[in-house]
Amino acid sequence: MIEITIGVYVSKNRVEVAVLPSGAEFSMPHDEASCRELACWLESLNPTLIVLEAAGGVENHVTGILLARDLPVAVINPRQIREFAKATGRLAKSNSIDARILALFGVAVKPEPRRHKHEGAWAVTALITRRRQIIDMLAAERNRLASSHNSVKNEIAQTIKWLENRVKGIDDDLSGFIRAMLPAGGEGAL
């Protein structure tokens, strides 16, 4: 049986795919319909491994769709991919090259695929990612407030307050999901 390894590089707007050993490569929009089509197509290939790079959460959408189809997905730390690319002399950088390097990494290193998470775990992951994004926005707004003109200070302060409320809302949602995921009577563990 031929082992098929797929490299999937995910950016905000595009998904690049490289297939080994065939060498096929293609690009598609990073949208719901395209990602679902990709998952169907990959499922038909019966791949041994699909390798994605952890990209600050931008890969979560694609990863979730692939895992929902019970495909063998490994999400790899970007530093490992960079070091692998350097070690193999592949220093050029583009999204299609990145997809090919991910596939080559899968062939050479054979990382262990991630197991499917249930929906609650995906929800918690998404909330944690969103919380971090809002914290980053808060830091930026606080920096702006310190150096802004008086004419916009009130507007920035209102934005900060709104963002702080969003963090509190996400914290409440996280607590609810975590409680729901605990076994009955396990609330004392929090």
Side-chain angles (χ1 to χ4, degrees):
M1 180 171 117
I2 296 175
E3 290 192 357
I4 298 173
T5 304
I6 315 284
V8 179
Y9 182 81
V10 182
S11 67
K12 182 179 171 188
N13 298 315
R14 305 290 304 165
V15 176
E16 308 290 333
V17 180
V19 181
L20 293 177
S22 74
E25 294 182 7
F26 64 92
S27 178
M28 58 183 236
H30 184 181
D31 60 39
E32 186 74 24
S34 298
C35 290
R36 292 204 180 279
E37 284 180 38
L38 172 66
C40 287
W41 182 71
L42 292 177
E43 190 174 38
S44 74
L45 292 178
N46 193 25
T48 306
L49 182 63
I50 301 168
V51 181
L52 293 95
E53 181 178 62
V58 74
E59 79 287 354
N60 286 345
H61 177 244
V62 176
T63 303
I65 290 171
L66 297 176
L67 287 173
R69 292 198 173 259
D70 207 24
L71 290 165
V73 175
V75 180
I76 308 301
N77 183 309
R79 184 180 305 138
Q80 286 180 280
I81 301 301
R82 260 191 323 275
E83 293 301 320
F84 176 80
K86 277 195 248 179
T88 58
R90 291 171 172 86
L91 302 178
K93 183 91 172 104
S94 75
N95 292 352
S96 62
I97 291 172
D98 288 343
R100 194 172 328 120
I101 289 170
L102 288 166
L104 289 167
F105 180 90
V107 169
V109 178
K110 297 187 183 336
E112 190 65 32
R114 182 187 280 191
R115 291 183 24 209
H116 178 67
K117 288 184 180 181
H118 60 74
E119 187 57 36
W122 279 112
V124 168
T125 299
L127 285 168
I128 289 168
T129 299
R130 183 62 184 150
R131 185 182 192 284
R132 187 187 53 200
Q133 292 166 344
I134 292 173
I135 295 294
D136 290 346
M137 287 187 271
L138 263 168
E141 287 299 299
R142 288 177 177 140
N143 288 338
R144 281 185 196 97
L145 183 62
S147 62
S148 67
H149 187 270
N150 285 338
S151 64
V152 294
K153 283 192 185 277
N154 187 41
E155 169 64 28
I156 295 171
Q158 289 175 7
T159 301
I160 290 170
K161 183 69 173 165
W162 184 84
L163 289 168
E164 289 170 341
N165 286 335
R166 289 310 316 132
V167 170
K168 183 184 179 328
I170 288 172
D171 287 345
D172 292 345
D173 290 346
L174 279 168
S175 294
F177 272 110
I178 291 168
R179 271 192 228 96
M181 289 168 39
L182 289 174
E187 293 166 4
L190 289 179

